Amino acid sequence: MVVAGGVGWADMRSLSVQVITGRWFVLFASFLIMAAAGATYMFGLYSGTIKNALGYDQTTLNLLSFFKDLGANVGVLSGLINEVTPPWVVLSIGAILNFFGYFMIWLAVSKKIANTKVWHMCLYICIGANSQAFANTGSLVTCVKNFPESRGVVLGILKGYVGLSGAIITQLYHAFYGTDPKALILLIGWLPAAISFAFLRTIRIMKVIRQENELKVFWNFLYISLGLAGFLMVIIIVEKELNFSQGEYGGSAAVVLLMLFLPLAVVIQEEFKLWKIKQQSLRESVQVKIVPHNSNTPPSSSSNSITEQTSSEKEVSVSCFSNMFNPPERGEDYTILQALFSIDMFILFFATICGVGGTLTAIDNLGQIGISQGYPQKSLSTFVSLVSIWNYLGRVTAGFGSEIVLHKYKFPRPLILTLILLLSCVGHLLIAFNVKNGLYFASIVIGFSFGAQWPILFAVISEIFGLKYYSTLYNFGSVASPIGLYILNVRVAGHLYDKEAERQMTALGKKRIHGEELNCIGVECYKLSFIIITAVTLIGSLVSVILVIRSRKFYKGDIYKKFREEAAKAAETEMAQARNGTGPSLAKG
C-alpha cells in the first residue's frame, strides 16, 4: 500500500523513526521543557500569597527569594551527575524535585499542613527551584553539545523559552484554575515535572553531522518564538483592559499551546530532508559522492585514534591537582579545577554577581516596589509579564546577535556583557528615583538586561573553557546568581525596606506585632537600595572590561575551527559506511 506522494507505509515508519530520533526533535523537546522551567522567575507573582498566608515580613520573604535562587543556580550536583549518567537520569531527578518542592509549598500556603517553619519553606523552595538546574543541565547542555557551532543561538533561543515561561504558565494557570492564586503554586509543581517525564528518553547527546543550512533552521525557530512572544504581549495588554472569563483564558491558552508545538513542523521538514539523503545513500550501491581523500586516510584515522587514546591515558595518569594552575590555551578543554582557578572564570563570576544579582533583586521585588510607589494592583502582574517577555527578547537578541557579530566582525562576547551591565543601570536608576510611570520602562530594561546576560555568560564559558566538562562549568557559572542575590536582595534591599517600614510605623505611633506583615509606602523604601545596586553594577562592568582585554586575541581567531573539522570527519565516516554497504547513521544523529 502506498500513501500520497509515492511513499509507502514502510517508508512512513522509517521517516517517523528518523523524526523522533533526530537531533532536531531533541531540540524541540528541549523547547517544551524550557517553556515550563522558569517558575523561579514568577516569584513576584506568588510571593504575595506566601507573605499573606504565613504572615512574613519583607526580610523573611527576601530570604525565601534567596533560597529560591540558591536552589535554581547551585546546580553543580546536576552537572557532576550529568558527567557520568545519560541526560534522562538528570531530567528524572529534576522532575521529582520540582513536584516535591512546590507541592509542599502549596500544602503550606493552603494550610493543609500546620506549623510550617520558615526553614521548612526555605528548604521546600530551594528543592523545587533546584529542579530548574537539572532541567537546564539535562536539556540545554545536551543541545549545546549537539549543535556546537551554533551554541550562541542554541543558548539564546532555549534560554528565551525559559524567559517566556512566566507568561506561558500564567496563561495556562488562568485557563486551568481561574484566579485562585494558590493554585498557581500547584500548577508550577506538576506541569514541568509532567513535561520532563514525557521526554525522558528523547533528550540525549548525539554524534554531530554538520548541516549547511543549520543557522537558517534556527532562524525559523526564532520567527515562531517571536510570534509566540508577540501574541503573549498582545493578549496581556488585552487582558488588562478587559475582564476575561476562564473560558476566554482557555482560548488564549489554546493559541499558546498551538504556537508551542508549531516548531514540530520545522523539525519534520528538516528530518525529512535528512531521511531522503539517507534513502538515496542506501540505494547507491556502487557510486557514492564523497570528497576525494588520499588513500592513506583510513590508516591515518586509525593511527590518530590510537594516538588520541594514548594521549588520553597519559592525561588520566596525571593528577588533576598537579596541573590545575597550568591551563591549556583558551578554547581547549580545561579540567574542572583549571577552569575554576582561572582568572577568566573569576572575572566572569564577579561580573555575574554584580549584574545578575542586581537585576534579579529588582525582578523579585517588582510587586513590592509597585505597591510602595503607588501603582494600582492590576499593574503588578503587568510588570511581571513585561519582565517575562523582555527577558525572552534579551536572551534571543543576545544569543543570535552575539553569534552574528562574532562571525562577521569578530566582536568579542565579553564586551557585549559589559554593555549589558551598563544598560541595566538605567533600569535601576528609574526605580531609585521613582520616575513617573518609570516602573513600566524599568521592567522592560531590567527584563531585557537580565535575560541577555545568561546566553552571553554560558557561551563565553563554553568558548574559553571547552565543552568536555561543560555540564559542571555551566552550573558553576550559575552559582554567582544566588550570591549576588543574597548580598543585594536580603542584606541590602530587604534590610533597608524593613528599616524604612519600621520608621514609618514608629512615626504613626504603632508597634509591630510578631507575625504581622511589614509594609512600606513611598519612594524611600527602595531608593537607597537601588542607588547601591547601580554602583555595584557599574563596578561589575568595569571588571568585565579586564576579560575583554585578556581574551581579545582569542576572539579574533577562528574559535569554531576544531568543531568544523570534527563534523567533517563524522560526515566522512558516514559516507564511508554508505560506500561499504553499512549505510549512514543519520537517524542516530
Side-chain angles (χ1 to χ4, degrees), residues 24-46:
W24 294 110
F25 192 76
V26 173
L27 185 65
F28 166 71
S30 297
F31 288 161
L32 297 185
I33 291 173
M34 293 294 98
T40 54
Y41 303 132
M42 301 178 68
F43 184 73
L45 209 54
Y46 62 83

Side-chain angles (χ1 to χ4, degrees), residues 156-342:
I157 197 164
L158 284 174
K159 280 294 185 180
Y161 272 98
V162 177
L164 281 180
S165 63
I168 292 170
I169 294 175
T170 299
Q171 293 299 315
L172 299 178
Y173 149 65
H174 286 305
F176 293 157
Y177 298 107
T179 57
D180 179 6
K182 295 174 185 176
L184 174 61
I185 301 171
L186 179 63
L187 177 66
I188 60 181
W190 68 261
L191 182 61
I195 294 174
S196 290
F197 275 124
F199 291 107
L200 279 185
R201 301 314 299 264
T202 300
I203 308 294
R204 66 205 185 284
I205 296 172
M206 307 175 72
K207 183 165 60 177
V208 178
I209 302 294
R210 189 167 185 261
Q211 288 181 236
E212 292 298 326
N213 68 332
E214 188 171 285
L215 189 58
K216 184 180 177 182
V217 180
F218 280 108
W219 278 104
N220 291 333
F221 288 135
L222 175 63
Y223 299 145
I224 293 171
S225 67
L226 283 171
L228 174 60
F231 173 77
L232 288 168
M233 177 71 84
V234 171
I235 202 68
I236 287 166
I237 294 171
V238 173
E239 287 168 358
K240 294 299 171 283
E241 296 297 324
L242 305 174
N243 291 321
F244 268 37
S245 65
Q246 189 170 351
E248 289 167 333
Y249 276 118
S252 66
V255 176
V256 169
L257 290 173
L258 175 65
M259 299 192 77
L260 279 173
F261 280 87
L262 197 55
L264 185 58
V266 179
V267 170
I268 294 172
Q269 181 183 31
E270 291 306 312
E271 292 297 345
F272 179 67
K273 292 176 184 177
L274 293 174
W275 178 78
K276 285 200 299 185
I277 294 171
K278 176 184 176 182
Q279 295 303 309
Q280 183 180 355
S281 298
L282 289 173
R283 284 193 294 266
E284 292 174 353
S285 57
V286 180
Q287 290 186 345
V288 178
K289 293 182 180 180
I290 59 173
V291 178
H293 282 278
N294 190 292
S295 59
N296 295 329
T297 297
S300 174
S301 299
S302 175
S303 176
N304 286 341
S305 299
I306 295 170
T307 305
E308 288 172 7
Q309 185 177 353
T310 306
S311 175
S312 298
E313 288 172 358
K314 287 180 180 178
E315 286 179 8
V316 171
S317 65
V318 177
S319 170
C320 60
F321 293 99
S322 64
N323 64 351
M324 67 180 183
F325 295 112
N326 186 29
E329 293 291 322
R330 290 187 182 88
E332 298 300 321
D333 290 321
Y334 282 54
T335 66
I336 294 173
L337 290 178
Q338 283 173 340
L340 297 188
F341 284 94
S342 72

Side-chain angles (χ1 to χ4, degrees), residues 319-377:
S319 170
C320 60
F321 293 99
S322 64
N323 64 351
M324 67 180 183
F325 295 112
N326 186 29
E329 293 291 322
R330 290 187 182 88
E332 298 300 321
D333 290 321
Y334 282 54
T335 66
I336 294 173
L337 290 178
Q338 283 173 340
L340 297 188
F341 284 94
S342 72
I343 296 174
D344 291 346
M345 181 63 86
F346 172 79
I347 295 169
L348 273 174
F349 199 75
F350 182 83
T352 305
I353 287 175
C354 298
V356 173
T359 50
L360 201 50
T361 296
I363 291 170
D364 281 354
N365 287 280
L366 268 179
Q368 299 300 318
I369 294 169
I371 292 171
S372 68
Q373 295 186 354
Y375 286 86
Q377 187 68 33

